[in-house]
Amino acid sequence: MRNLEIAVLGAGVVGVNTALRIQEEFPSAKVTLIHDKFYGTALSYGPPGIFYPSSDFGGFDRDLAKNIVRTSFKYYQQLLNIPKSGVTEIRGYLFSDTNESNVRSDLMESIVPCYRPTTEEERQLNSKSWKYGSYFETIRTQCTLFIPWALKKFKQNGGVTLKKHITNFSELETEYDVVFNCTGLNAKYLCNDPFIVPIRGQLMHVYAPQIKNFYFNDSNTYIFPLGNGKVCMGGSRDYGSYETEVNHFDTLSIIKRCSEIVPSLKEPTILTQWVGLRPHRNIVRLEVENLGKLKIVHNYGHGGSGITTAPGSADHVVDLFKHSHSSKSKL
């Protein structure tokens, strides 16, 4: 492992977590983080970063999914008291009028400090009474702070960053022993993977200092306080859409749905609007592949759960590589 040359493709939240985990496991290896665009351009920078995995995260063995989520939460918990890491605590409510199962999460209930059913009084929100609800305490990872913090730590550990656009893995086979592929939606083209599909999301930041807790429901509507009076309102889930411009009708829909939960948001002061394409794959790709002399470790397709599950996914793929490398050495 001492002389390994390792490349990590992708400098979003999955890529930087993977790069740090590699350095931790193989401190003598030379690790290069490659991306064609750096600060502020990765998908990770837009979402509010609330730790809450989608109910169908992974698409693989449920125990593995739970382990990834648990590992991720423990990692972020350790960063709570580290300045500039961007990790903070947050609490609030999830509501549904459809079914009680929609406010439950087997991936969260045994992991976060508190996850409980709401009281009848808590479900009476303004003029609306919800049928079902859960209150829970979780974590927010603000990637506009976390990724720069992680990149700084990566470089302090001896890591190198390289701005380069990679169109084929063959471009890397003479320089690296192994490549960790954390390219998100770009993996669709790099890997010729027909199973990765964009899910378009739109949100806005507004000024609403009266919002102290988060609120969201099972119709993809959410309200998340971000601090300093800023609040994130969303959202949308447009399967297969590549549209990256703000849609006026989505804006109106978000305001309407959010103000039905919190009426004071009916005429919000909009600060910014953002659109991102989630890299969705029915089965998140976490596996080792040999392409000629080059070993590729895939870590992509997390959809809207990328920020939540990045540390645990990184831990899993590094472990996969470690075992595959050890097996090869024994042969």
Side-chain angles (χ1 to χ4, degrees):
M1 296 292 188
R2 182 176 298 277
N3 299 317
L4 278 177
E5 294 274 354
I6 300 176
V8 178
L9 300 186
V13 69
V14 175
V16 296
N17 269 287
T18 301
L20 288 176
R21 184 67 186 89
I22 291 168
Q23 288 180 322
E24 182 180 342
E25 188 66 36
F26 312 120
S28 299
K30 180 181 178 182
V31 187
T32 303
L33 186 64
I34 303 174
H35 201 285
D36 56 354
K37 298 175 183 177
F38 273 99
Y39 186 81
T41 58
L43 174 70
S44 317
Y45 284 94
I50 305 300
F51 192 100
Y52 196 89
S54 60
S55 60
D56 62 345
F57 165 71
F60 39 61
D61 179 79
R62 201 62 174 172
D63 288 337
L64 173 57
K66 289 180 179 180
N67 186 60
I68 287 174
V69 172
R70 184 180 298 106
T71 299
S72 294
F73 192 80
K74 287 181 179 179
Y75 175 79
Y76 286 132
Q77 270 189 316
Q78 294 171 358
L79 303 184
L80 279 171
N81 297 317
I82 297 181
K84 299 182 179 180
S85 69
V87 181
T88 54
E89 294 176 306
I90 191 168
R91 53 186 57 83
Y93 300 91
L94 167 60
F95 294 115
S96 173
D97 279 332
T98 308
N99 194 288
E100 186 177 9
S101 65
N102 293 356
V103 298
R104 301 290 300 273
S105 172
D106 65 321
L107 294 175
M108 288 282 286
E109 292 179 4
S110 63
I111 295 172
V112 296
C114 176
Y115 198 114
R116 61 165 174 79
T118 51
T119 63
E120 184 176 349
E121 182 179 1
E122 288 172 319
R123 291 194 300 276
Q124 184 69 41
L125 192 65
N126 303 301
S127 60
K128 178 174 175 55
S129 180
W130 295 89
K131 290 183 180 179
Y132 313 104
S134 290
Y135 167 88
F136 61 95
E137 300 169 3
T138 186
I139 283 172
R140 178 189 174 219
T141 301
Q142 183 181 347
C143 281
T144 52
L145 295 176
F146 173 76
I147 291 180
W149 173 84
L151 285 171
K152 181 179 180 180
K153 183 178 180 181
F154 171 73
K155 292 176 181 178
Q156 288 174 340
N157 292 341
V160 177
T161 59
L162 175 64
K163 186 177 180 181
K164 184 178 181 181
H165 181 65
I166 305 297
T167 59
N168 195 295
F169 289 118
S170 62
E171 300 172 44
L172 306 170
E173 62 183 357
T174 60
E175 298 182 55
Y176 302 99
D177 302 300
V178 57
V179 174
F180 283 77
N181 174 26
C182 308
T183 53
L185 188 60
N186 287 331
K188 179 178 182 68
Y189 312 107
L190 184 61
C191 302
N192 192 27
D193 187 344
F195 300 109
I196 189 162
V197 180
I199 297 183
R200 179 185 178 276
Q202 181 172 317
L203 57 81
M204 66 181 73
H205 290 174
V206 304
Y207 184 71
Q210 73 275 17
I211 305 298
K212 305 302 180 183
N213 297 317
F214 64 72
Y215 303 92
F216 67 111
N217 63 26
D218 53 1
S219 65
N220 201 46
T221 303
Y222 52 82
I223 303 164
F224 294 124
L226 305 177
N228 298 319
K230 289 175 62 176
V231 169
C232 177
M233 293 168 52
S236 61
R237 293 182 63 85
D238 303 324
Y239 185 88
S241 173
Y242 288 86
E243 178 56 61
T244 57
E245 296 298 318
V246 171
N247 184 296
H248 174 66
F249 296 103
D250 283 343
T251 299
L252 294 177
S253 173
I254 290 168
I255 293 173
K256 180 179 182 297
R257 287 181 283 123
C258 288
S259 62
E260 288 174 351
I261 299 175
V262 180
S264 62
L265 297 174
K266 190 172 184 179
E267 297 181 357
T269 300
I270 299 176
L271 305 174
T272 59
Q273 296 196 72
W274 178 86
V275 173
L277 305 180
R278 306 174 182 95
H280 172 76
R281 200 172 187 271
N282 284 338
I283 301 177
V284 179
R285 195 174 186 191
L286 307 174
E287 63 181 12
V288 179
E289 179 183 20
N290 292 311
L291 290 178
K293 297 180 181 179
L294 191 64
K295 187 182 291 289
I296 311 293
V297 184
H298 298 291
N299 185 10
Y300 69 85
H302 297 74
S305 298
I307 297 174
T308 293
T309 61
S313 295
D315 187 78
H316 181 68
V317 295
V318 169
D319 194 54
L320 286 178
F321 167 66
K322 182 173 65 174
H323 284 90
S324 70
H325 194 78
S326 298
S327 299
K328 183 178 178 181
S329 300
K330 290 177 182 178
L331 293 175

